[in-house]
Amino acid sequence: MSRTTPIVHKTRTQLVVEVLREKILSGEIAAGEPLRQSALAEALHVSRIPVREALLQLEAEGLVKFEPHKGATATELSVEQVTELFELRAMIETDLLAKAIPRLQEDDLIKAERVLEQLESAFKHEDAVASWSELNTQFHTCLYQAANRPHTLEVVHGLNTNCDRYIRLQLLLAGGIPAAEHEHRELLNYCKQRETEKATALLRHHILHAAMTIRDLVAKQVV
């Protein structure tokens, strides 16, 4: 009996979450823009219930904020938030990588290499921007999973969701793609060579240098 890929059935709420998340992360819905449930329901051809549920999920992800007498809005860009999110990432991800490297198997490294090739290809096409975040997360996950810390990895994925629009700012507006490509390749090589100290130092620099660039961009946008 041949194996087939299982069909994933998504609820209306899940579909609305994906559409709105992408619009917020891409900047199509600007920071601070009101998210009126009736208008969104009409535009997406759904009832207000899945829209309301989607907005609550996006609030949990940090992409939407509910305010009294104002309703839901896309969260504002924040220098303080950049600092907190990226410092958390630097602490948690370097620890995960240090625990993972001694346990990495050849299959993990092969998967990471394949995903990195897809990411490098996507970087060359601006119409593939929406795939950058997913592929970047997949690449890092291939390197972190061997740590066998599923709850920590879940925290990392949540932080990455909140960091996504900031990272897109850096890549699109600050010419961050060449540096990202080089650092990802170097990181993978250190992992292959089991150079834990060099790998974690590079990862920390990779995250915190991005934060510094993004803080400058956000500071200009919020003035």
Side-chain angles (χ1 to χ4, degrees):
M1 186 175 177
S2 63
R3 293 183 180 181
T4 57
T5 303
I7 297 172
V8 178
H9 295 285
K10 296 183 179 180
T11 66
R12 281 191 175 85
T13 298
Q14 289 172 315
L15 294 170
V16 174
V17 166
E18 291 177 4
V19 170
L20 294 181
R21 183 193 287 128
E22 177 57 30
K23 288 179 180 293
I24 292 170
L25 293 176
S26 68
E28 185 177 339
I29 293 177
E33 184 175 331
L35 299 166
R36 306 192 192 288
Q37 293 180 38
S38 56
L40 290 171
E42 184 177 349
L44 298 173
H45 307 290
V46 296
S47 71
R48 292 179 61 174
I49 294 173
V51 171
R52 170 75 177 174
E53 291 172 346
L55 291 175
L56 288 171
Q57 183 172 327
L58 292 170
E59 180 188 32
E61 294 179 8
L63 297 176
V64 167
K65 178 171 64 174
F66 282 88
E67 297 180 86
H69 313 298
K70 192 173 180 181
T73 59
T75 50
E76 297 279 355
L77 299 173
S78 162
V79 171
E80 291 76 19
Q81 186 184 51
V82 172
T83 300
E84 180 180 8
L85 289 173
F86 282 78
E87 285 182 356
L88 272 172
R89 282 188 58 207
M91 286 190 291
I92 297 172
E93 292 186 40
T94 52
D95 182 63
L96 261 185
L97 185 63
K99 288 180 169 65
I101 286 176
R103 300 180 172 198
L104 281 170
Q105 301 298 311
E106 191 63 27
D107 280 353
D108 299 318
L109 295 169
I110 290 171
K111 286 177 186 175
E113 180 94 43
R114 286 174 181 163
V115 174
L116 185 54
E117 288 171 357
Q118 292 176 53
L119 179 57
E120 289 168 343
S121 176
F123 275 152
K124 293 176 174 61
H125 305 283
E126 282 202 15
D127 60 352
V129 169
S131 69
W132 292 357
S133 175
E134 182 180 353
L135 290 169
N136 182 66
T137 298
Q138 285 179 24
F139 169 69
H140 285 276
T141 298
C142 288
L143 300 179
Y144 300 160
Q145 270 184 329
N148 195 27
R149 296 293 178 97
H151 297 296
T152 308
L153 195 56
E154 193 65 30
V155 171
V156 168
H157 289 164
L159 289 170
N160 285 335
T161 295
N162 283 283
C163 289
D164 189 32
R165 62 179 176 166
Y166 291 118
I167 293 171
R168 292 193 196 191
L169 276 177
Q170 181 214 7
L171 294 173
L172 289 169
L173 302 182
I177 290 176
E181 288 182 315
H182 172 73
E183 289 169 4
H184 282 147
R185 273 285 156 197
E186 196 172 6
L187 181 63
L188 181 57
N189 287 335
Y190 283 145
C191 289
K192 288 178 179 178
Q193 296 158 13
R194 315 294 171 174
E195 295 273 10
T196 302
E197 287 189 16
K198 289 181 180 179
T200 53
L202 174 61
L203 180 60
R204 181 176 177 81
H205 168 80
H206 177 69
I207 294 169
L208 294 182
H209 181 73
M212 181 181 68
T213 305
I214 294 162
R215 278 196 298 267
D216 290 343
L217 284 170
V218 172
K220 291 173 185 174
Q221 293 210 357
V222 299
V223 170

